[in-house]
Amino acid sequence: MPNSFKTGDVVRLKSGGPEMTVSDGAASGTYLCHWFNREGDVWTPQHAGFKPDQLVVVDQPR
């Protein structure tokens, strides 16, 4: 059974990559995620949709 994520969850692709924040789950079964890419001193916001089977929740102590 696929994972379920909610808005605000911090996730990462199973294959690695940056930590991302889930902002929305679509009816199509994909989750819209946001993250920042850094080049030097410039941080650029990014976003993309991912299938739940591609994502894992990142453990973050709070």
Side-chain angles (χ1 to χ4, degrees), residues 5-61:
F5 304 101
K6 62 184 182 305
T7 299
D9 282 351
V10 178
V11 297
R12 175 179 285 135
L13 287 172
K14 288 181 179 177
S15 60
E19 292 182 1
M20 304 179 287
T21 303
V22 174
S23 66
D24 194 18
S28 65
T30 61
Y31 289 90
L32 181 60
C33 299
H34 294 267
W35 70 97
F36 290 89
N37 282 343
R38 181 179 180 188
E39 290 187 33
D41 292 335
V42 178
W43 291 84
T44 306
Q46 304 288 318
H47 66 275
F50 298 98
K51 293 181 180 181
D53 290 341
Q54 296 175 291
L55 302 170
V56 292
V57 173
V58 174
D59 293 326
Q60 289 191 325

